[in-house]
Amino acid sequence: MAPHSLLDGPDDGPISNGFSVLRGHPASERQRRHDSSDNHSHLEKTSQDDVHDLVCVGFGPASLAIAVALHDSIDSGRLPKSGGESSPKVLFLERQLQFAWHAGMLLPGVKMQISFIKDMASLRDPTSQFTFLNYLHQNGRLVEFTNLGSFFPARVEYEDYLRWCASFFDDVVNYGTEVVSVAPDEEVPGSSGPVSVFAITSKDVKTGALTTCRAKNVLLAIGGQASIPKCLPTNHPGVIHSSRYAQLAPKTLDKPFFPYRVAIIGAGQSAAEIFNNIQTFYPNSQTSMIMRSEFLKPSDDSPFVNSIFDPSFVDLLYQRSTEDRHSLLEGARDTNYGVVRLELIERLYERMYDQRREFGSDERKWQHRIRGATEVVGFEAKQDKLRLTIRPLSSGKPIINEFVQDGLRNDLAEEEVLEVDLVIAATGYRRQSHLTIMEGVADLLPKASERNGVSTTNGFRSKLSEANIKGHAVRVSRDYSVQFAPGRVALGSGIWLQGCCEGTHGLSDTLLSVLAPRSGEIVSSIFGKVTQKVTEQV
């Protein structure tokens, strides 16, 4: 699934340097644009030894929105300014070495497919300095962007906007830091009672050195982890996930006019964008788009259906029964999963039609093919040769969940072997890492029920079903706080989840749509008493 986006722009083959076009501007160059000494927020760095009010694990858009909401709350007087005894002590821990958002899919000509108004602040406070419009104003492009007559900026520009926002918070972000666990802090005096402080253990991604910080509240917003089909290896240079396409593909596809053979697995926006991108910038390539669905399906972004991404819809969804919620979300899959923007579908269909007109109906003669109702069942890497085994779903045989490193497989009928130079898996993301990080707090959670009332025979429903850690249920309140067993965690302390609450909070949970209002809600939930106290003083 691509970040909400659509494809627009030139489709006339490679230009002088196909690789700079594929990658866009280097991340380091984009970062330097916003390394200004003038960019400072109201949040100030605190000592590592302090007990923080909040530690956010991950510094992608979700945590960035939290940082912006905190700044705006201080700016408006709802929270005390830095330097005071009750000013927020906040720290962000991010595994990446610098801020980046979907860097592997910053493809040329690709635009966002949600309005820029759904930025880090506008829906919560349109007067915030962190709106997309103010970003344009500060960078001298507001009038020119207005002349475009569009609500949808280029994806690379939106990523630059996010970098601009992130540059204000460099003092409170520890980059290159990967969190490995969250557990009750055993050093707190009288820790036999309810847990009031959590210990967050992290490692330096370069040295591996472990460090620990402490916080009353922890927010986990670590994003998704690349999902690779089980029949493919996860550590072979000839197999990459779409999330790293722009960084890794040019290392293998380093000659713009070479007849590379590339297989793209998936049926969603990312798969279609990559399928189109390779054909555009590698005109002699041979590409196969392999997908289990029969056809490419358009995303439904009509106004009534699109209301499922409205902030107010979270309230309507959360109060429903578990079965009703999951039934509704399953029916709304075509808004977000395994679907492609209609403009891109039409472009690809026209390209397939041109091949049919020129080469006839025998698709084996085509340079580019969409292989619908087909599954990948095997992978073989022998010396420099890669072979991908595919099979039509109509064969009715089970998927083989293993790959062959050496030797040939010839035990399956109706299979076809594709010799390829690169396999790109545009097969989505898993969102389970928070469960591993939270293993240290499992005993604080309520016992899981034997059944949660939801059938998990369907893969999508399984994704929405209740998670558990070591037999303890991970349940989330409306304000995204984890529900602990009664009396186990002190009032004013807790753990908050972002990007892994789709089953209770809706499809917008992993998207940009509700970040601004959601961040305001979470800041109010965590710092509510402080906000009330400051208001009373005023």
Coordinates of all heavy atoms in Angstrom, one line a residue, residues 235-281:
N235 N 16.6 -11.9 2.6 CA 18.0 -11.3 2.7 C 18.8 -11.5 1.4 O 20.0 -11.7 1.4 CB 18.7 -12.0 3.9 CG 18.8 -13.5 3.8 OD1 18.2 -14.1 2.9 ND2 19.6 -14.1 4.6
H236 N 18.1 -11.6 0.3 CA 18.7 -11.7 -1.0 C 18.7 -10.4 -1.7 O 17.7 -9.7 -1.8 CB 18.0 -12.8 -1.8 CG 18.8 -13.2 -3.0 ND1 18.9 -12.5 -4.2 CD2 19.6 -14.3 -3.3 CE1 19.7 -13.1 -5.0 NE2 20.1 -14.2 -4.5
P237 N 19.8 -10.0 -2.3 CA 19.9 -8.7 -3.0 C 19.0 -8.6 -4.2 O 18.7 -7.5 -4.7 CB 21.4 -8.5 -3.4 CG 21.9 -9.9 -3.4 CD 21.2 -10.6 -2.3
G238 N 18.6 -9.7 -4.7 CA 17.7 -9.8 -5.9 C 16.2 -9.7 -5.5 O 15.4 -9.7 -6.4
V239 N 15.9 -9.6 -4.2 CA 14.5 -9.4 -3.8 C 14.5 -8.2 -2.9 O 15.1 -8.2 -1.8 CB 14.0 -10.7 -3.0 CG1 12.6 -10.5 -2.5 CG2 14.1 -11.9 -4.0
I240 N 13.7 -7.2 -3.2 CA 13.6 -6.1 -2.4 C 12.1 -5.8 -2.1 O 11.2 -6.2 -2.9 CB 14.3 -4.8 -3.0 CG1 13.6 -4.4 -4.3 CG2 15.7 -5.1 -3.2 CD1 14.1 -3.1 -4.9
H241 N 11.8 -5.0 -1.1 CA 10.5 -4.6 -0.8 C 10.2 -3.2 -1.4 O 11.2 -2.4 -1.5 CB 10.2 -4.5 0.7 CG 8.8 -4.3 1.1 ND1 8.3 -3.0 1.4 CD2 7.8 -5.2 1.2 CE1 7.0 -3.1 1.7 NE2 6.7 -4.4 1.6
S242 N 9.0 -2.9 -1.8 CA 8.7 -1.7 -2.4 C 9.1 -0.5 -1.6 O 9.4 0.6 -2.1 CB 7.2 -1.6 -2.8 OG 6.4 -1.7 -1.6
S243 N 9.1 -0.6 -0.3 CA 9.5 0.5 0.6 C 10.9 1.0 0.4 O 11.3 2.1 0.8 CB 9.2 0.1 2.1 OG 10.0 -1.0 2.4
R244 N 11.7 0.1 -0.2 CA 13.1 0.5 -0.4 C 13.5 0.5 -1.9 O 14.6 0.5 -2.3 CB 14.1 -0.4 0.3 CG 13.8 -0.5 1.8 CD 15.0 -1.1 2.5 NE 16.1 -0.2 2.5 CZ 17.4 -0.5 2.8 NH1 17.6 -1.7 3.2 NH2 18.3 0.4 2.7
Y245 N 12.5 0.6 -2.7 CA 12.6 0.6 -4.2 C 13.6 1.7 -4.7 O 14.6 1.4 -5.4 CB 11.3 0.7 -4.9 CG 11.4 0.9 -6.4 CD1 11.9 0.0 -7.2 CD2 10.9 2.1 -6.9 CE1 11.9 0.2 -8.6 CE2 11.0 2.3 -8.3 CZ 11.5 1.4 -9.1 OH 11.6 1.6 -10.5
A246 N 13.4 2.9 -4.4 CA 14.1 4.0 -4.9 C 15.6 4.0 -4.5 O 16.5 4.4 -5.2 CB 13.5 5.4 -4.5
Q247 N 15.9 3.4 -3.3 CA 17.3 3.3 -2.8 C 18.0 2.1 -3.4 O 19.2 2.2 -3.7 CB 17.3 3.2 -1.3 CG 16.7 4.4 -0.6 CD 15.4 4.1 0.1 OE1 14.6 3.4 -0.5 NE2 15.2 4.7 1.2
L248 N 17.3 0.9 -3.5 CA 18.0 -0.3 -3.8 C 17.9 -0.7 -5.3 O 18.9 -1.3 -5.8 CB 17.4 -1.4 -3.0 CG 17.6 -1.3 -1.5 CD1 17.1 -2.5 -0.8 CD2 19.1 -1.1 -1.1
A249 N 16.8 -0.4 -6.0 CA 16.7 -0.8 -7.4 C 17.8 -0.2 -8.3 O 18.3 -1.0 -9.1 CB 15.3 -0.4 -7.9
P250 N 18.2 1.0 -8.1 CA 19.3 1.5 -9.0 C 20.6 0.8 -8.8 O 21.4 0.9 -9.7 CB 19.4 3.0 -8.6 CG 18.1 3.4 -8.0 CD 17.6 2.1 -7.3
K251 N 20.8 0.1 -7.7 CA 22.1 -0.6 -7.5 C 22.1 -1.8 -8.4 O 23.2 -2.3 -8.9 CB 22.2 -1.1 -6.1 CG 22.4 0.1 -5.1 CD 22.5 -0.4 -3.7 CE 22.7 0.8 -2.7 NZ 22.8 0.4 -1.3
T252 N 20.9 -2.4 -8.7 CA 20.8 -3.6 -9.6 C 20.5 -3.1 -11.0 O 21.2 -3.6 -12.0 CB 19.7 -4.5 -9.2 OG1 20.0 -5.0 -7.9 CG2 19.6 -5.7 -10.1
L253 N 19.7 -2.2 -11.2 CA 19.3 -1.7 -12.5 C 20.1 -0.4 -12.8 O 19.6 0.7 -12.7 CB 17.8 -1.3 -12.5 CG 16.8 -2.4 -12.0 CD1 15.4 -2.0 -12.1 CD2 17.0 -3.7 -12.7
D254 N 21.4 -0.6 -13.0 CA 22.3 0.6 -13.1 C 22.6 1.0 -14.6 O 23.4 1.8 -14.8 CB 23.6 0.3 -12.4 CG 24.3 -1.0 -12.9 OD1 23.7 -1.7 -13.8 OD2 25.4 -1.2 -12.5
K255 N 21.9 0.4 -15.5 CA 22.1 0.8 -16.9 C 20.7 1.1 -17.5 O 19.9 0.2 -17.8 CB 22.7 -0.4 -17.7 CG 24.1 -0.8 -17.2 CD 24.6 -2.0 -17.9 CE 26.0 -2.5 -17.3 NZ 26.4 -3.7 -17.9
P256 N 20.4 2.4 -17.8 CA 19.1 2.8 -18.2 C 18.5 2.0 -19.5 O 17.3 1.8 -19.5 CB 19.2 4.3 -18.5 CG 20.4 4.7 -17.7 CD 21.4 3.5 -17.7
F257 N 19.4 1.6 -20.4 CA 18.9 1.0 -21.6 C 19.1 -0.5 -21.7 O 18.9 -1.1 -22.8 CB 19.5 1.8 -22.8 CG 19.1 3.2 -22.9 CD1 20.0 4.2 -22.4 CD2 17.9 3.6 -23.4 CE1 19.6 5.5 -22.4 CE2 17.5 4.9 -23.5 CZ 18.4 5.9 -23.0
F258 N 19.5 -1.1 -20.6 CA 19.7 -2.5 -20.6 C 18.4 -3.2 -20.5 O 17.4 -2.8 -19.9 CB 20.6 -2.9 -19.4 CG 21.1 -4.3 -19.4 CD1 22.2 -4.7 -20.2 CD2 20.4 -5.3 -18.7 CE1 22.6 -6.0 -20.2 CE2 20.9 -6.6 -18.7 CZ 22.0 -6.9 -19.5
P259 N 18.2 -4.4 -21.2 CA 16.9 -5.1 -21.2 C 16.7 -5.9 -19.9 O 16.6 -7.2 -19.9 CB 17.0 -6.0 -22.4 CG 18.5 -6.3 -22.5 CD 19.2 -5.0 -22.1
Y260 N 16.6 -5.2 -18.8 CA 16.4 -5.9 -17.5 C 15.1 -6.6 -17.5 O 14.1 -6.2 -18.1 CB 16.4 -4.9 -16.3 CG 17.8 -4.3 -16.1 CD1 18.1 -3.0 -16.3 CD2 18.8 -5.1 -15.6 CE1 19.3 -2.4 -16.1 CE2 20.1 -4.5 -15.3 CZ 20.3 -3.2 -15.6 OH 21.6 -2.6 -15.3
R261 N 15.0 -7.7 -16.7 CA 13.8 -8.5 -16.5 C 13.4 -8.3 -15.0 O 14.1 -8.7 -14.1 CB 14.0 -9.9 -16.8 CG 14.4 -10.2 -18.3 CD 15.1 -11.5 -18.5 NE 16.3 -11.6 -17.6 CZ 17.1 -12.6 -17.6 NH1 16.8 -13.7 -18.2 NH2 18.2 -12.6 -16.8
V262 N 12.2 -7.7 -14.8 CA 11.8 -7.3 -13.5 C 10.4 -7.9 -13.2 O 9.5 -7.7 -14.0 CB 11.8 -5.8 -13.3 CG1 11.4 -5.4 -11.8 CG2 13.2 -5.2 -13.6
A263 N 10.3 -8.5 -12.0 CA 8.9 -9.0 -11.6 C 8.5 -8.1 -10.4 O 9.3 -7.9 -9.4 CB 9.0 -10.4 -11.2
I264 N 7.3 -7.6 -10.5 CA 6.7 -6.9 -9.4 C 5.5 -7.7 -8.8 O 4.6 -8.0 -9.6 CB 6.2 -5.5 -9.8 CG1 7.4 -4.7 -10.5 CG2 5.6 -4.7 -8.7 CD1 7.4 -4.7 -12.0
I265 N 5.5 -7.9 -7.5 CA 4.5 -8.7 -6.9 C 3.6 -7.8 -6.1 O 4.0 -7.0 -5.3 CB 5.1 -9.8 -6.0 CG1 6.1 -10.7 -6.8 CG2 4.0 -10.6 -5.4 CD1 6.8 -11.6 -5.9
G266 N 2.3 -7.8 -6.4 CA 1.3 -7.0 -5.7 C 0.3 -6.4 -6.7 O 0.5 -6.4 -7.9
A267 N -0.8 -5.9 -6.1 CA -1.9 -5.4 -6.9 C -2.3 -4.0 -6.5 O -3.4 -3.5 -7.0 CB -3.1 -6.4 -6.9
G268 N -1.6 -3.4 -5.6 CA -2.0 -2.1 -5.1 C -1.3 -0.9 -5.7 O -0.6 -1.1 -6.8
Q269 N -1.4 0.2 -5.1 CA -0.8 1.5 -5.7 C 0.7 1.4 -5.8 O 1.2 1.8 -6.9 CB -1.2 2.6 -4.8 CG -0.8 4.0 -5.3 CD -1.6 4.5 -6.5 OE1 -2.7 4.0 -6.7 NE2 -1.0 5.4 -7.2
S270 N 1.4 0.9 -4.8 CA 2.8 0.8 -4.9 C 3.3 -0.1 -6.1 O 4.2 0.3 -6.8 CB 3.4 0.3 -3.6 OG 3.2 1.2 -2.5
A271 N 2.7 -1.2 -6.2 CA 3.0 -2.2 -7.3 C 2.8 -1.5 -8.6 O 3.6 -1.6 -9.5 CB 2.2 -3.4 -7.2
A272 N 1.7 -0.8 -8.8 CA 1.3 -0.2 -10.1 C 2.3 1.0 -10.4 O 2.7 1.1 -11.5 CB -0.1 0.3 -10.1
E273 N 2.6 1.7 -9.3 CA 3.6 2.8 -9.5 C 4.9 2.3 -10.0 O 5.6 2.9 -10.9 CB 3.7 3.7 -8.3 CG 2.5 4.5 -7.9 CD 2.7 5.3 -6.6 OE1 3.8 5.2 -6.1 OE2 1.7 5.9 -6.2
I274 N 5.4 1.3 -9.4 CA 6.7 0.7 -9.7 C 6.7 0.1 -11.1 O 7.6 0.3 -11.9 CB 7.2 -0.3 -8.7 CG1 7.5 0.4 -7.3 CG2 8.4 -1.1 -9.1 CD1 7.7 -0.5 -6.2
F275 N 5.6 -0.6 -11.4 CA 5.4 -1.2 -12.7 C 5.5 -0.1 -13.8 O 6.2 -0.3 -14.8 CB 4.1 -1.9 -12.8 CG 3.8 -2.7 -14.0 CD1 4.6 -3.7 -14.4 CD2 2.6 -2.4 -14.7 CE1 4.3 -4.5 -15.6 CE2 2.3 -3.2 -15.8 CZ 3.1 -4.2 -16.3
N276 N 4.9 1.0 -13.6 CA 4.9 2.1 -14.5 C 6.3 2.8 -14.5 O 6.8 3.1 -15.6 CB 3.8 3.1 -14.1 CG 3.8 4.3 -15.0 OD1 3.3 4.3 -16.1 ND2 4.4 5.5 -14.5
N277 N 6.9 3.0 -13.4 CA 8.1 3.7 -13.3 C 9.3 2.9 -14.0 O 10.1 3.5 -14.8 CB 8.5 3.8 -11.8 CG 9.8 4.6 -11.6 OD1 10.9 4.0 -11.5 ND2 9.8 5.9 -11.6
I278 N 9.3 1.6 -13.9 CA 10.4 0.8 -14.6 C 10.2 0.9 -16.1 O 11.2 1.1 -16.8 CB 10.4 -0.6 -14.1 CG1 10.8 -0.7 -12.6 CG2 11.3 -1.5 -15.0 CD1 10.7 -2.1 -12.0
Q279 N 9.0 0.8 -16.6 CA 8.8 0.9 -18.0 C 9.2 2.3 -18.5 O 9.6 2.4 -19.7 CB 7.3 0.6 -18.3 CG 6.9 -0.8 -18.0 CD 5.4 -0.9 -18.0 OE1 4.7 -0.3 -18.8 NE2 4.8 -1.8 -17.1
T280 N 8.9 3.3 -17.7 CA 9.2 4.7 -18.2 C 10.7 5.0 -18.2 O 11.2 5.5 -19.2 CB 8.5 5.7 -17.2 OG1 7.1 5.5 -17.2 CG2 8.8 7.1 -17.7
F281 N 11.5 4.6 -17.2 CA 12.9 4.9 -17.1 C 13.8 3.8 -17.5 O 15.0 4.0 -17.6 CB 13.2 5.4 -15.7 CG 12.4 6.7 -15.3 CD1 11.4 6.6 -14.4 CD2 12.8 7.9 -15.9 CE1 10.7 7.8 -14.2 CE2 12.1 9.0 -15.7 CZ 11.0 9.0 -14.8

